[in-house]
Amino acid sequence: MVTGMEFVKGGVCAAKGFKAAGIHCGIRKNKTKKDLALIVSEKRAAAACVYTRNLVKGAPIGVTRAHVADGYAQAIVCNSGIANTCAADGMETANGMCNIAAQALGIAQEDIVVASTGVIGPSLPLTPIRAHIGELAAALSPSGSEDAAEAIMTTDTVKKEAAVSFQADGVECRIGGIAKGSGMIHPNMATMLVFVTTDCAISQEMLQRALSRDVVDSFNMVSIDGDTSTNDMVAVLANGMAENPKITEEGPAYTAFCQALAAVTRSLCRMLAADGEGATKLLDCTVSGAPDTATAKTAAKSVICSSLVKTAMFGADANWGRVLCALGYCGAPLDVNKIDVSFKSAAGEVAVCKNGAGIPFDEDSAKKILSEDDIQILIDLHSGDAGAQAWGCDLTYDYVKINGDYRT
Amino acid sequence: MVTGMEFVKGGVCAAKGFKAAGIHCGIRKNKTKKDLALIVSEKRAAAACVYTRNLVKGAPIGVTRAHVADGYAQAIVCNSGIANTCAADGMETANGMCNIAAQALGIAQEDIVVASTGVIGPSLPLTPIRAHIGELAAALSPSGSEDAAEAIMTTDTVKKEAAVSFQADGVECRIGGIAKGSGMIHPNMATMLVFVTTDCAISQEMLQRALSRDVVDSFNMVSIDGDTSTNDMVAVLANGMAENPKITEEGPAYTAFCQALAAVTRSLCRMLAADGEGATKLLDCTVSGAPDTATAKTAAKSVICSSLVKTAMFGADANWGRVLCALGYCGAPLDVNKIDVSFKSAAGEVAVCKNGAGIPFDEDSAKKILSEDDIQILIDLHSGDAGAQAWGCDLTYDYVKINGDYRT
């Protein structure tokens, strides 16, 4: 942790001037499941977003992109249950959702970030949203982060929130966020739904720069199942209410902001991977000794994405051959005869492969190490100084169960 | 089926002059499981091979490559249980296996194709092979295809054999093969182990050309789990004993040979996909209306590889949004607003998506169609005349079970 930075409570409402709420409005049949979230800034905020690279995009993506084109937004409205993707009336519905939220909040429709997550295909009904928006707006509270985090969950089993405080030019600022995402998460795009808020004063240009740089090493290095979703986005709102001197260029304050953002996004990444659909274990793959960062990233992602590595980890089986196999087909030109592999967890560390070949190890202690729920796969390519980290999870019976009949 | 071609029995021994055998020699602990196969041609044969593109390669790959560099081979020896990959003594062992087989058969060591499949890492012991090679050679028989097919199985649940007879310049020829492969199967390489034999007289050059062209549309379009194995190869031996005029250039006889090869390889592809680890269903994805073949292949493979599509098929869930999602992230520049999708099986056909959007369909009949064990996913991109076909399987509890603790 960087000096002057510390984790704080409050999630997406940790920063000054932000309120949130989450309720059940009726998009989902299950009345105990919240399905509509609202996050609002007291003041209009600088806004930065990254979006899915899937060619099939949810209608909310297009609407949000248009709304933040001017660099500003003031509220985020998001439903779970239906993705509003591939539906004939998608754009109309996404615009309607913004209109309903804007009227309830008394702000401009163009200052709304809209997002949806859930089943692809069906039309998203506006009636339950219209009927309950008053209730949702009335519920807005500086302690509403948990409810909002809950309302955006789909197959997630836990709410995901993180926040830190940090110093920018001697002024205390806060940044925090919530996330959802459990399946359909894969590198090479802005995956899942992540909403981050900060009271730090920062220009829209520097905010977008910080976010675009951050996702490359954070959310783009998470993979649950290799599927890249149609709807996901990461949105950051910065309302400046901490009253630090506005960050408009690179320098110590910008660096502090980026470090704080990274602390929040890395925390959310680990939570997302650990809560992968059906997952029992977080896999954290660190590649070192790579000739360049691109090679390190490609290698780390390939290991995290391998179904055979993932099932071996589920079985606490130190089948390092599958790790080497995944490195071999990753596409980067590795010298496989230099690769070392070890597994590490709270129960210890075991080296299993040296110079691309197996070495004797104690199976019992390897089993013990791999029976923990937070596993590190450490790979040294011995071919340079670059490194990368990727996060994933094991592949289990429950992944199959959850996805075998998601719609019913 | 092309005129004059018909499926025949006999697998890898259907062609004149080939014998095969498979026995338990002791590489595997389970004595009821055969683990060593031998396929021998009466005469030295033209040989063509394609190999895995994984950078981590089993030692047998290098030895086989050297042995067939002169274009000829006479026998194939293959064990299951241990892959002889990433073991320090790998090359020595692979050469030793060839030496043992060559001595038993009284042929040159350089005329042996060697292959191994199984766990990566451990050393492959030569002692059981040396002890039982005499028994194996004595068991060689023109009806030995089934035993050989059984001996190369790993997590396969069924033996895989196919053979056809065809006419080359008015002379009846035969071509047949055996295959193994159940997990670690993925496009973009010469996957799994496939041994094909033919009595057709064809030059080594034309044989290699036919094989290299064929795998692009056959084995490279099969995916079980996205993992590309370290050991797999497709080897074809042509001994010329049908005494047809030797095929040395393109023309009707070469075309007939290619069609016969395709009939055998397509049959094996479907068997491999249907017997994917834990699979309950064969998925056959046909993309039409593509602007070019590369786009069609990329699209078909992306659908077949999607964990979310695979689990939906396991659950007989007509979740076509996942098909569209997989098309959207496949990497080819598709016009998603033109895409039609339907599902088809012995129980009928149901259209689920038109112009990139959902259309009303009867969920009950869709469920019935998807409850069959041979499912076609039909995709029309409405953007040209090119097409492609890919084969895969559903993702099930048993895939996780099989791979969760493979080594024990």
Side-chain angles (χ1 to χ4, degrees), chain A residues 33 152-160 179-183 272 275 277:
Chain A
K33 173 68 185 80
I152 64 173
M153 287 163 63
T154 54
T155 50
D156 303 63
T157 65
V158 295
K159 296 183 286 275
K160 298 168 186 79
K180 70 79 35 179
S182 195
L272 286 163
D275 194 31
E277 286 176 341

Side-chain angles (χ1 to χ4, degrees), chain A residues 53-57 85-88 119-122 183-184 225-230 277 305-309 311-322 324-329 331-336 339 356-358 361 363 367 395-408, chain B residues 53-57 85-88 119-122 183-184 225-230 277 305-309 311-322 324-329 331-336 339 356-358 361 363 367 395-408:
Chain A
R53 289 187 193 153
N54 196 311
L55 292 179
V56 178
K57 285 186 171 63
T85 301
C86 301
V119 181
I120 301 173
M184 264 207 195
D225 58 10
D227 276 84
T228 298
S229 167
T230 54
E277 286 176 341
C305 291
S306 161
S307 292
L308 290 168
V309 171
T311 45
M313 293 298 104
F314 173 55
D317 177 11
N319 197 330
W320 59 269
R322 294 181 179 175
L324 223 62
C325 176
L327 293 169
Y329 66 67
L334 310 178
D335 183 344
V336 294
I339 300 174
F361 61 89
E363 289 276 359
K367 193 98 193 166
L395 173 58
T396 71
Y397 298 116
D398 281 351
Y399 177 83
V400 177
K401 187 173 181 186
I402 291 165
N403 286 299
D405 204 4
Y406 178 64
R407 297 186 311 156
T408 57
Chain B
R53 290 189 192 150
N54 197 310
L55 292 179
V56 179
K57 285 185 173 60
T85 300
C86 301
V119 181
I120 301 174
M184 264 206 195
D225 57 11
D227 276 83
T228 298
S229 167
T230 53
E277 286 177 340
C305 291
S306 161
S307 292
L308 290 168
V309 170
T311 45
M313 294 297 104
F314 173 54
D317 178 10
N319 198 329
W320 59 269
R322 294 181 179 175
L324 223 62
C325 174
L327 292 169
Y329 66 67
L334 310 178
D335 182 344
V336 294
I339 299 173
F361 62 89
E363 289 276 359
K367 193 100 192 163
L395 173 59
T396 71
Y397 299 115
D398 281 351
Y399 178 84
V400 177
K401 187 173 181 185
I402 290 165
N403 287 299
D405 205 3
Y406 178 66
R407 296 186 312 156
T408 56

